[in-house]
Each structure stands twice: as C-alpha cells, then as structure tokens.
Amino acid sequence: MVQEGYAVDLHVKVLDEAVVERAKARGLDALVYAPHFTRLPEIRRQAEAFSDDELTVFPAREIFTGTWQQRRHVLGIGLDDPIPDFITFDGAMRELARQDAAVLVPHPGFLNVSLGLDDIEAYAGTIDALEVYNPKQLGHHRDRAQSFTSDTGHKPFASSYAHVRGTVGEAYVTFAEAFDDVTSLSAALKNDAERTLFHRDGISHNFRRAVEWAHLGLENTWGKFDRLMLQGTEPTHPDQVAYDGRFDDVKVY
C-alpha cells in the first residue's frame, strides 16, 4: 500500500494504458516518463495524452552522453529546450545548468552507464539528487549509491526505472505537496524538498527485478545490434535537423 503523501515514480521508460492502470492500482499520483532516444516534444505529447485527473505524467529526458563504450546517463526534469544524445558529458551538464532543469543521477556507479563519484563531485552544484534504489540495482550497487550520497550530501531518490510495464510502482518517492506541473516538480527537486523513499519487497518484487535484469540482457545484445546496425540515425542524434546544429561542438559522433 502506498504511503501517505504525493507518490511519484520518478523514472519510467514505458507508457501506455496498461502502465497507467498499473500506476493507479499501485496508488501512485504521478510518473516521470523518460524513454530512451525519444525527442522531448514527443515525450511531452505522450505525457499529456496519458495524464488525467487521477494520474499525472511528467515529461523528462534521460540523456545518453558520450559514446556507446563510455556512456553516462543523466536525467533532466523541467527542460525548456530539447537536448540530444551522443554529446559530451560536460556539454550535457552545461546545457542542463543553462536551462535550470532538475538534474538527477540514475543508477550511480552501475555497470558502465553511470556517473561515478568523481563525476558527481565535479558537478555537485548542478546535480540535485542521486538514485539509491531501483529494481535493477544489486545490493553492492545500492551500497555504493548510498555512500555517494553520504560523501556528497545530495538528496536521494528511488524509482522503478521500469523498462517493463509490470515494474511500474515497485519503487517510488512521496512528497508532502502535490505538483501541478513539471516546473513545480523540478523546483521541488532543485530545492531539496523533503521526501520519503519506498520500495516493495518479497517474492513478487524479486520476480519483477529478475524480469528487469532479463530485459537488460536483451537490450544490451539484440537491442544494441538493432540500433547500431539495422536502424537509421536516432531521432535524438545531434545531427538531426531539429537541433539546428546547436550541439555540433560537443557531439561525439
């Protein structure tokens, strides 16, 4: 049962009617929707289409910085302008700071897709929160993330990081206040609003974690081959006309 407060799953990758139904059944008030390789206008359109009086979907972008071999992910909430993938980490952080977006660090210290302690300390003034729990993290990943928050003083957060519908609502955060729009959520995160972190446990939760790990394996084998070899240029590549060449100086491909 969801605890008292405004309950937000702060990072999901999937969104459709089944996701909305599950989020409501879990007692959530809001989702933050940040799919991979999807442009901000489309994310906003989908977020608006699936929001209603019972559930708000906030648009966000998990930005894929660097190359496939040296990639670091950052989550921007409250963006004014689109930011592409495949740009340098420094370039992405400068642009997030320029837009005064809330900057969250998903899965810190996780495999080769995450920010390490040196990265977090270098941009301590830009970063607003570190993720200390999602179902994909193993115990040592969570311990490392917790140690990062202790070392840097950043606020923690939790999310389902759901790539599979059934994982939505497995981890979430509650706030004392409700948020009317993504700007107010972003402001709360930037101002270190008090929050309480929750996650489910038990056999069902462990099953959901296993399903997410299976999806991770698929995503990093066939999914990567499909993107690299079979598909055209990603919609979020900095060469796309939508970005008007603004990121040519920081693109990595």
Side-chain angles (χ1 to χ4, degrees):
M1 183 175 181
V2 171
Q3 305 296 316
E4 182 179 354
Y6 187 80
V8 187
D9 189 334
L10 277 168
H11 193 178
V12 305
K13 295 295 184 190
V14 286
L15 183 62
D16 57 19
E17 291 292 351
V19 167
V20 170
E21 290 178 10
R22 181 172 182 84
K24 291 177 181 179
R26 291 297 196 191
L28 297 177
D29 297 294
L31 304 173
V32 172
Y33 177 52
H36 285 305
F37 307 115
T38 306
R39 292 189 59 244
L40 184 61
E42 175 61 16
I43 295 172
R44 285 173 171 160
R45 188 186 71 78
Q46 290 286 330
E48 182 177 0
F50 285 100
S51 294
D52 58 28
D53 291 341
E54 298 177 69
L55 183 79
T56 301
V57 182
F58 296 117
R61 276 273 288 133
E62 186 181 23
I63 301 159
F64 184 119
T65 78
T67 65
W68 282 98
Q69 292 73 32
Q70 295 178 313
R71 57 197 192 272
R72 286 171 284 185
H73 296 178
V74 289
L75 180 63
I77 299 176
L79 294 170
D80 295 319
D81 304 312
I83 303 176
D85 297 308
F86 308 114
I87 60 176
T88 65
F89 173 63
D90 292 339
M93 296 303 282
R94 286 197 300 270
E95 181 63 14
L96 287 162
R98 184 190 72 80
Q99 296 191 35
D100 198 30
V103 179
L104 277 59
V105 178
H107 46 72
F110 181 77
L111 302 179
N112 65 338
V113 294
S114 309
L115 273 63
L117 184 58
D118 289 346
D119 301 317
I120 295 165
E121 290 179 334
Y123 284 93
T126 302
I127 291 168
D128 299 298
L130 310 182
E131 185 173 57
V132 297
Y133 189 93
N134 76 52
K136 274 194 173 78
Q137 290 172 312
L138 301 178
H140 66 281
H141 298 132
R142 295 194 292 272
D143 291 344
R144 184 181 303 149
Q146 289 280 7
S147 73
F148 288 178
T149 63
S150 298
D151 290 342
T152 66
H154 284 97
K155 283 284 189 181
F157 77 96
S159 82
S160 71
Y161 193 44
H163 290 63
V164 179
R165 294 178 183 88
T167 313
V168 170
E170 289 292 306
Y172 56 92
V173 174
T174 63
F175 296 92
E177 61 178 327
F179 305 113
D180 294 330
D181 52 35
V182 71
T183 301
S184 57
L185 171 61
S186 175
L189 292 165
K190 290 186 69 63
N191 292 326
D192 291 342
E194 289 300 318
R195 79 283 311 256
T196 306
L197 281 56
F198 297 97
H199 67 81
R200 296 177 182 275
D201 53 24
I203 295 173
S204 176
H205 183 64
N206 288 335
F207 172 74
R208 297 310 327 166
R209 295 182 61 219
V211 170
E212 285 287 341
W213 267 99
H215 182 274
L216 179 66
L218 180 65
E219 189 177 53
N220 281 286
T221 51
W222 166 251
K224 185 180 291 186
F225 175 81
D226 181 42
R227 288 192 179 280
L228 290 174
M229 302 299 181
L230 303 182
Q231 296 188 20
T233 303
E234 297 287 357
T236 53
H237 191 282
D239 282 348
Q240 292 285 5
V241 65
Y243 299 105
D244 197 28
R246 291 198 304 115
F247 297 92
D248 285 353
D249 61 330
V250 291
K251 67 181 183 181
V252 296
Y253 289 126

